[in-house]
């Protein structure tokens, strides 16, 4: 399975590790349509801090759209983004033949 994955890793321009993103493109279309996965690193919180945050989330005392992070994409990464999306598009074209 991992042999069928193509990885693309992008670091934020601010160099903060928590802002890094990783895409995984599943290139094996024999199992079904191509898929592109996105992974983001979560903030490092203690167990108790995560537990309290989760309870507040479940009880509705926190807004559901409150947890956002951002990544500043460098202009030097634009060709790699284009390559990634072109690969994804080409897999869909091949899948739909």
């Amino acid at each position: 399975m991992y042999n069928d994955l193509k990885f693309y890793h992008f670091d934020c321009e601010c160099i903060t590790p928590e802002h890094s993103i990783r895409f995984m493109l599943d290139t094996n279309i024999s199992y079904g349509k191509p898929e592109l996965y996105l992974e983001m690193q979560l903030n490092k919180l203690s167990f108790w801090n995560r537990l309290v945050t989760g309870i507040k989330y479940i009880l509705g005392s926190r807004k559901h759209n409150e947890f956002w992070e951002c990544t500043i994409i460098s202009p030097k990464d634009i060709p790699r983004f284009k390559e990634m999306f072109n690969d994804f598009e080409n897999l869909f074209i091949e899948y739909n033949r």
Side-chain angles (χ1 to χ4, degrees):
M1 175 176 170
Y2 291 111
N3 295 337
D4 300 328
L5 295 177
K6 191 170 179 183
F7 294 92
Y8 300 87
H9 185 265
F10 299 95
D11 289 323
C12 183
E13 278 200 333
C14 74
I15 314 298
T16 304
E18 289 86 6
H19 295 169
S20 293
I21 57 175
R22 182 170 84 162
F23 291 90
M24 295 180 300
L25 177 59
D26 187 355
T27 59
N28 189 344
I29 59 173
S30 62
Y31 295 123
K33 68 178 181 177
E35 294 178 333
L36 182 65
Y37 304 96
L38 168 66
E39 289 183 334
M40 299 184 80
Q41 185 173 349
L42 298 174
N43 290 332
K44 292 173 178 59
L45 300 174
S46 70
F47 169 77
W48 297 109
N49 201 342
R50 287 185 188 273
L51 181 65
V52 169
T53 301
I55 291 170
K56 287 181 179 180
Y57 181 82
I58 291 168
L59 296 177
S61 64
R62 292 219 159 190
K63 297 177 184 170
H64 294 290
N65 61 356
E66 186 174 298
F67 303 101
W68 292 93
E69 279 291 346
C70 67
T71 300
I72 303 168
I73 301 299
S74 170
K76 69 178 175 50
D77 288 329
I78 291 173
R80 289 184 33 226
F81 256 96
K82 286 181 179 179
E83 174 194 344
M84 178 182 66
F85 286 113
N86 285 338
D87 289 349
F88 190 43
E89 180 182 36
N90 290 337
L91 283 170
F92 258 103
I93 291 170
E94 185 180 333
Y95 175 75
N96 289 318
R97 284 186 186 172

